Amino acid sequence: MLGRTASSLFWLSRYFERAQNLTRLLEVAYRGAIMSHTGQEHGTHWTFALANSGTEAGYKEKYDELTMRQVTSYMIFSKDNPSSIRSCLELGRNNARAVRTGITAELWEAINTTWIEFAETNPQSVTQDKLPDFLAWINQRAHLFRGALLNTILRDDGYFFSQMGNFVERADNTARILNTQCWSLLPDNDIVDDGAMERYQWSAILRALSGRRSYRFAYPNSRLKAFNIAEFLILRTEMPRSLAHCYDWIAETAEDLAQFYGSREPSLDLAADLSRELTEKQMHEIYQQGLHEFLTDFIGKNNQFAHQLCEDYNFS
Amino acid sequence: MSDERTFFNEMLDEAGAPRPCYARLAKWLDDKPANFLSRKSKDAETIFRRLGITFAVYGAEEATERLIPFDPIPRIISAAEWRRLSAGIDQRVRALNAFLHDIYHRQEIIRAGRIPANLILQNEAFLPEMAGFTPARKVYSHIIGTDLVRVSENEFYVLEDNTRTPSGVSYMMENRETMIRLFPELFQTHHVASVDQYPENLLQTLESVAPDPSKSNQTIVVLTPGIYNSAYFEHAFLADSMGVELVEGRDLFVDAGHVYMRTTREPRQVDVIYRRIDDAFLDPLTFNPDSMLGVPGLFDAYRAGNVTICNAPGTGIADDKAIYAYVPDIIEFYTGQKPILNNVPTWNCSRPDDLAYVLDNLEDIVVKEVHGSGGYGMLIGPTASKREIAEFRKILETNPGNYIAQPTLALSACPTHVASGVAPRHVDLRPFVLIGDQVRITPGGLTRVALKKGSLVVNSSQGGGTKDTWVLED
């Protein structure tokens, strides 16, 4: 396989995963903004979406105030924002176009149709009442992408690289959300007043990571607690967006790749190390180390793995 | 203009009755309700859009990718007509390859005085770097798309030979796929020759001209300029349907005279490159030094016989518009036979007599730039305004050597789906030929259709559409 093909498959999956993560952040912000009883200022909800997608600085350069219209236009439709949903879908499609020969017709159709329908949508037509449906549509399209990929592409190196891209992006997303919200996940941060604020924050995090219902299954007493939520999203491998799950998957894929090529590269060892670390860690150790420090360190190692992978397999 | 002239109608004879090969189709069309074709056209557009069968338009910023309009009414060619056409094409492509070998070696045709030396030696498309080099099996142009037009029952003319990198074969195949999805019933009532074998034939052709054809597991690649090229869809389609890698220049490198591609593991040696980039961009060390698309050192590896490039560099001389007028001579010189297919009479404006005639008759003829393509830089006299003609006259007088001229032909017309229903529109035809260990012509081709009433311009970049082309079997 060409190094460039591997790179395109890796990035294709990253961009679709990122687009889906963005829709969830916006859903959470939207929900918060229309609920007046959370006791928060209107703008904070949109800050949540901007901060967690890493687009806050870019937004502030362009706009002075926080309004739903401007934030959604910047995060969904903006061509200037390299992390807008539009940019992700377009870059994803360009990568798919570059590897048309390496993906199946089903996968290409899922990607191409998504892009065409998105590009044909007039941003003005996505008014406040239509936003949830539009976000749900993108979310569904991302599921379709993943379904088409998992169900049709050959289990060879192309598949392995696409999985690496998917889970590197997801791990990064989860770690960033936890990191920007990490003060609300400190166990000694006792509930203030009636705790409505904390409960709101926690449920926003869980929603942003599609984990609200799963959390209730994973923790039988089902009460929202900072310690449990952090553990759920960092260490519980059965949660498909947790850091542990992502690295479980990456490490397994790394083994498959090593076997496929009959040789082991440094990146694969990095993946195995990081996976082992997450398996062996306990939540109280992480709190001891400092949640913020732990997450920052993880984001760095995740990046390092991605860089090493590019180098080992001649991505260009 | 052509409305006042008589033109050959592909479906109907002079009495207005369907010709034999169109009889079934004509009846089928008659039986359909009024909006039937409009619905089917919409279905077809959806299919094309979803599949991403598009071409890019240079300079158009927003809509960088467009669909070529697809017309759902097929163009039909009878078995007997096809036999004659393919014999003519076969003769022509063999002669053109013999010509290429000759002018890069002994240049007998120049010595024999059949073609003026300066027309070749001073031609930009002639590559001195190719002199004395013989590609595998002496084949230079492996993939050719011959543009034909019809003016009467038995008269076909060759408009252009397209011996460099002819496009459109993916449309031939996708048009067929789409027709089968839209009108399966038509294929049950017609014996349409299949075009499915094209990718297989292309692969056989490329393998047969590998530096060492006996080697098993040849590594064959399609070389594309990238996703922004207007024909990128076709490049991906071809690589995909042959099951070979689609590479860009940056994926290849030359080491010790051999060409390799960069893979996720060890570099892999490449045997045959089906290139879809122009000569000038192939190798910055030999040709255009600014090329970012090519591969440094590729040409030396080629001349050392370590890799085959298809089509060979320098094949452009065979379809140069100034050489075109000599193709009948070329055929006679190398085959000893009369040409089966006609050339369009052509005035070469570099000759004073021809120029004088052209300047006197600008209102009636078509003038084309020698190196132009895609319908740019040309004058269609009969539809041009007085001012356009006056302006073109000046250009022509300043640089006559850059132009040829031809009479306007009464292109045949084929029933086509238009806003008001079904109406005749002018068409041309591009069959696709492969030349390797043998000559293979796919029965069918790409029919391009001028969608505007009376228009003779069928180019996709000028708003033309395409049709499925059916060669019927006896």
Side-chain angles (χ1 to χ4, degrees):
Chain A
M1 161 174 293
L2 292 176
R4 187 169 54 79
T5 304
S7 169
S8 285
L9 289 166
F10 178 84
W11 281 102
L12 167 60
S13 281
R14 275 198 88 154
Y15 283 125
F16 265 80
E17 176 69 20
R18 190 176 293 176
Q20 193 173 28
N21 294 336
L22 290 165
T23 63
R24 249 182 281 99
L25 288 175
L26 282 163
E27 277 164 0
V28 172
Y30 175 80
R31 202 186 151 82
I34 58 167
M35 308 268 233
S36 50
H37 55 78
T38 53
Q40 304 231 332
E41 273 179 63
H42 190 80
T44 26
H45 303 289
W46 299 114
T47 311
F48 173 84
L50 287 167
N52 284 307
S53 62
T55 56
E56 201 177 0
Y59 180 86
K60 282 186 173 157
E61 261 174 44
K62 227 177 142 170
Y63 302 102
D64 295 328
E65 35 171 22
L66 278 170
T67 66
M68 181 199 113
R69 206 148 192 74
Q70 285 170 359
V71 174
T72 52
S73 134
Y74 186 69
M75 284 186 61
I76 301 176
F77 295 106
S78 173
K79 290 180 197 170
D80 310 331
N81 173 6
S83 290
S84 68
I85 290 174
R86 185 202 155 90
S87 300
C88 289
L89 295 181
E90 187 172 17
L91 290 165
R93 179 183 181 255
N94 279 350
N95 276 291
R97 247 164 87 73
V99 293
R100 272 282 306 251
T101 51
I103 60 177
T104 58
E106 286 94 336
L107 182 54
W108 166 249
E109 267 196 53
I111 296 164
N112 194 39
T113 313
T114 302
W115 167 246
I116 291 165
E117 290 177 11
F118 181 89
E120 279 169 0
T121 304
N122 175 5
Q124 303 297 324
S125 73
V126 184
T127 47
Q128 180 166 340
D129 56 322
K130 299 220 174 83
L131 184 65
D133 279 349
F134 187 63
L135 292 172
W137 173 77
I138 299 168
N139 201 10
Q140 291 297 320
R141 297 302 303 189
H143 282 310
L144 181 68
F145 161 78
R146 196 163 160 73
L149 188 139
L150 290 177
N151 287 317
T152 63
I153 81 165
L154 213 56
R155 275 4 183 218
D156 59 7
D157 41 354
Y159 170 76
F160 303 141
F161 289 119
S162 79
Q163 294 310 297
M164 300 276 198
N166 191 143
F167 286 92
V168 161
E169 180 67 26
R170 183 178 292 181
D172 183 69
N173 180 60
T174 300
R176 275 176 200 284
I177 291 181
L178 293 173
N179 210 6
T180 52
Q181 306 298 313
C182 89
W183 60 270
S184 80
L185 291 170
L186 299 177
D188 53 354
N189 184 10
D190 280 336
I191 287 178
V192 185
D193 301 330
D194 62 350
M197 171 90 130
E198 282 73 14
R199 264 195 292 280
Y200 169 73
Q201 289 287 351
W202 295 337
S203 95
I205 295 169
L206 287 171
R207 271 178 206 282
L209 297 169
S210 297
R212 220 167 61 94
R213 290 183 66 99
S214 326
Y215 174 83
R216 307 234 180 248
F217 288 111
Y219 292 85
N221 76 9
S222 83
R223 269 190 48 217
L224 293 181
K225 279 172 66 182
F227 185 94
N228 287 354
I229 292 169
E231 183 185 64
F232 183 55
L233 295 172
I234 296 171
L235 297 179
R236 293 283 289 256
T237 48
E238 65 267 50
M239 166 58 187
R241 311 198 76 85
S242 74
L243 305 186
H245 179 89
C246 291
Y247 265 85
D248 225 24
W249 193 295
I250 289 173
E252 216 169 282
T253 309
E255 288 312 313
D256 291 340
L257 195 59
Q259 202 161 46
F260 186 86
Y261 283 137
S263 66
R264 256 200 108 75
E265 302 303 319
S267 53
L268 305 186
D269 292 331
L270 286 181
D273 291 348
L274 200 43
S275 172
R276 196 174 320 109
E277 194 184 324
L278 289 165
T279 316
E280 289 166 359
K281 264 250 165 37
Q282 300 285 324
M283 201 53 217
H284 62 84
E285 292 172 327
I286 293 178
Y287 277 125
Q288 243 162 29
Q289 181 189 346
L291 183 58
H292 176 67
E293 287 71 19
F294 169 81
L295 290 166
T296 309
D297 179 56
F298 174 85
I299 292 167
K301 284 177 175 165
N302 187 39
N303 266 335
Q304 201 193 336
F305 163 68
H307 281 303
Q308 191 61 47
L309 189 75
C310 298
E311 201 156 294
D312 292 347
Y313 295 98
N314 305 315
F315 285 20
S316 61
Chain B
M1 74 185 136
S2 58
D3 282 351
E4 292 96 57
R5 302 163 60 161
T6 53
F7 52 80
F8 182 81
N9 187 308
E10 295 278 340
M11 180 161 81
L12 305 172
D13 64 19
E14 288 72 16
R19 297 177 197 281
C21 61
Y22 276 94
R24 281 201 177 91
L25 182 76
K27 173 150 189 338
W28 178 86
L29 275 172
D30 278 347
D31 290 345
K32 295 296 170 215
N35 65 348
F36 174 76
L37 285 177
S38 307
R39 269 191 292 126
K40 291 292 184 180
S41 286
K42 283 213 181 71
D43 292 348
E45 198 184 310
T46 309
I47 296 173
F48 279 95
R49 212 169 255 295
R50 280 177 175 256
L51 295 177
I53 305 173
T54 55
F55 77 109
V57 181
Y58 296 118
E61 209 183 292
E62 267 302 313
T64 45
E65 284 166 45
R66 281 194 212 156
L67 293 179
I68 296 186
F70 168 74
D71 182 71
I73 304 176
R75 185 244 188 98
I76 303 181
I77 296 167
S78 72
E81 279 168 351
W82 182 252
R83 273 193 292 274
R84 202 174 132 248
L85 285 181
S86 45
I89 291 168
D90 183 285
Q91 179 194 48
R92 206 166 164 104
V93 300
R94 286 176 197 271
L96 289 172
N97 269 300
F99 166 71
L100 283 162
H101 183 260
D102 182 31
I103 59 162
Y104 287 121
H105 290 84
R106 295 178 49 80
Q107 306 185 329
E108 305 277 6
I109 196 163
I110 298 175
R111 294 184 213 202
R114 300 288 287 264
I115 290 188
N118 67 347
L119 211 53
I120 289 174
L121 305 180
Q122 273 149 48
N123 198 310
E124 270 178 49
F126 178 76
L127 290 188
E129 294 87 348
M130 284 294 289
F133 174 72
T134 307
R137 292 184 192 271
K138 284 196 193 176
V139 181
Y140 287 75
S141 193
H142 310 79
I143 298 115
I144 294 183
T146 311
D147 285 349
L148 297 164
V149 295
R150 182 182 211 176
V151 298
S152 74
E153 176 100 51
N154 292 313
E155 256 180 304
F156 282 89
Y157 286 102
V158 176
L159 271 188
E160 255 181 86
D161 291 290
N162 299 302
T163 58
R164 306 173 209 208
T165 49
S167 289
V169 74
S170 57
Y171 291 95
M172 168 178 84
M173 302 203 53
E174 291 293 353
N175 285 355
R176 177 63 54 82
E177 282 304 306
T178 305
M179 289 295 278
I180 292 172
R181 268 161 93 167
L182 294 180
F183 310 116
E185 70 275 20
L186 279 178
F187 289 86
Q188 283 166 353
T189 53
H190 292 80
H191 293 285
V192 182
S194 172
V195 294
D196 293 351
Q197 68 279 26
Y198 183 85
E200 181 73 27
N201 286 348
L202 177 59
L203 191 60
Q204 285 172 323
T205 299
L206 297 173
E207 280 173 349
S208 76
V209 293
D212 174 10
S214 65
K215 179 179 152 194
S216 59
N217 282 329
Q218 305 281 357
T219 298
I220 291 169
V221 298
V222 176
L223 175 61
T224 174
I227 65 168
Y228 299 107
N229 183 267
S230 62
Y232 179 77
F233 164 73
E234 173 147 309
H235 307 162
F237 176 92
L238 288 170
D240 197 22
S241 52
M242 287 191 286
V244 306
E245 289 286 1
L246 178 65
V247 302
E248 296 179 17
R250 58 188 160 126
D251 298 320
L252 301 180
F253 67 95
V254 175
D255 185 35
H258 290 85
V259 181
Y260 297 89
M261 60 181 171
R262 292 177 220 278
T263 75
T264 49
R265 302 286 71 209
E266 304 73 38
R268 190 155 131 214
Q269 197 188 323
V270 174
D271 301 297
V272 182
I273 301 175
Y274 176 18
R275 52 91 173 220
R276 297 293 300 247
I277 66 178
D278 293 340
D279 286 353
F281 299 102
L282 274 179
D283 180 352
L285 298 182
T286 305
F287 306 109
N288 184 349
D290 300 328
S291 172
M292 306 286 283
L293 304 174
V295 187
L298 176 60
F299 195 75
D300 284 344
Y302 176 64
R303 282 211 54 141
N306 294 333
V307 66
T308 300
I309 299 176
C310 299
N311 292 339
T315 54
I317 188 72
D319 71 5
D320 184 83
K321 288 194 178 73
I323 299 295
Y324 169 83
Y326 295 90
V327 175
D329 296 296
I330 289 174
I331 294 171
E332 288 198 41
F333 189 78
Y334 297 106
T335 69
Q337 299 161 346
K338 287 270 171 225
I340 300 171
L341 294 169
N342 300 319
N343 247 28
V344 182
T346 302
W347 297 283
N348 212 327
C349 299
S350 57
R351 296 183 194 146
D353 289 355
D354 286 16
L355 178 65
Y357 179 86
V358 169
L359 288 171
D360 284 347
N361 292 279
L362 278 178
E363 294 80 4
D364 302 320
I365 59 184
V366 179
V367 189
K368 295 177 183 173
E369 218 174 326
V370 173
H371 304 295
S373 69
Y376 295 103
M378 63 191 283
L379 175 84
I380 302 177
T383 57
S385 68
K386 282 214 162 67
R387 219 182 97 211
E388 283 166 337
I389 290 181
E391 279 169 12
F392 214 87
R393 180 186 302 278
K394 273 187 215 141
I395 300 171
L396 202 50
E397 280 166 342
T398 329
N399 189 6
N402 200 29
Y403 293 91
I404 58 153
Q406 294 170 336
T408 51
L409 298 175
L411 264 57
S412 67
C414 194
T416 300
H417 172 238
V418 298
S420 58
V422 175
R425 290 289 181 267
H426 295 295
V427 290
D428 77 352
L429 173 65
R430 177 178 292 181
F432 295 97
V433 197
L434 296 165
I435 304 111
D437 52 341
Q438 50 177 287
V439 176
R440 297 178 172 93
I441 307 176
T442 305
L446 183 67
T447 291
R448 297 186 298 177
V449 53
L451 295 171
K452 260 191 275 169
K453 191 177 179 188
S455 170
L456 295 171
V457 183
V458 296
N459 280 311
S460 47
S461 47
Q462 310 277 309
T466 68
K467 283 170 171 293
D468 191 13
T469 309
W470 292 2
V471 170
L472 297 188
E473 287 171 336
D474 282 330

